[in-house]
Amino acid sequence: MFSIIHRIATTEPTEKLLDALTTTDGLAGWWTTDVTGSVSPGGTTAFRFGETGGFDISVVSIEPDHVKWHVVDGPAEWIGTDIDWRLARDGDYNVVLFEHSGWRDQVEFMYHCSTKWAVFLQSLKSLVETGAGAPAPRDVQISNWH
């Protein structure tokens, strides 16, 4: 199994990061503007990206230092994968350690998704620091992937 991993840090409070990762408005502020469903543990959240489709993600757990998701629907490569958001303090910074694990193969789509996760993590950082992220469809376009 393979993983996508990234790290960002901000001086903004952990509460802002948790809000961005655990509320519909927060998620719509940095990932995609089309977010519906339950964002509570045991619930399923639907993320849509216009004509390119989307993902249904089960919220496994929400803790002050860790948010865990499990992908239940979407592209075949994503189904059954897990997304972990670990929050840690490092001096004056709150660090987000991101991992999208359980990829069966290192296919070209995984490379695309790794770069897009980096784009969206920058959007998350911008949202908590300035109040404005760049969620889809306003995100940085990186390729011709559909």
Side-chain angles (χ1 to χ4, degrees):
M1 296 289 188
F2 300 95
S3 296
I4 295 169
I5 55 174
H6 292 289
R7 178 189 186 275
I8 60 168
T10 182
T11 56
E12 294 299 315
T14 303
E15 294 77 23
K16 279 188 165 184
L17 287 166
L18 279 172
D19 185 66
L21 296 171
T22 62
T23 67
T24 303
D25 287 344
L27 293 161
W30 66 267
W31 195 12
T32 178
T33 57
D34 189 354
V35 179
T36 58
S38 173
V39 293
S40 299
T44 300
T45 312
F47 299 90
R48 296 296 177 262
F49 297 83
E51 295 177 13
T52 61
F55 315 97
D56 290 349
I57 295 177
S58 174
V59 180
V60 176
S61 62
I62 298 173
E63 298 174 20
D65 63 348
H66 183 209
V67 175
K68 184 174 183 78
W69 298 341
H70 182 75
V71 181
V72 295
D73 196 18
E77 296 90 346
W78 276 53
I79 295 173
T81 62
D82 294 304
I83 300 169
D84 285 285
W85 306 89
R86 296 190 187 277
L87 308 176
R89 190 79 179 161
D90 184 8
D92 293 335
Y93 289 87
N94 284 306
V95 176
V96 177
L97 299 174
F98 167 87
E99 182 174 11
H100 186 171
S101 63
W103 288 77
R104 291 177 290 283
D105 296 300
Q106 287 183 323
V107 295
E108 187 176 350
F109 186 49
M110 182 182 176
Y111 300 135
H112 168 84
C113 292
S114 180
T115 305
K116 284 306 290 193
W117 273 124
V119 166
F120 287 122
L121 284 165
Q122 288 293 324
S123 177
L124 169 62
K125 180 176 170 61
S126 180
L127 176 66
V128 299
E129 291 180 349
T130 71
R138 298 186 313 271
D139 57 313
V140 174
Q141 298 304 302
I142 60 159
S143 74
N144 61 341
W145 200 272
H146 298 288

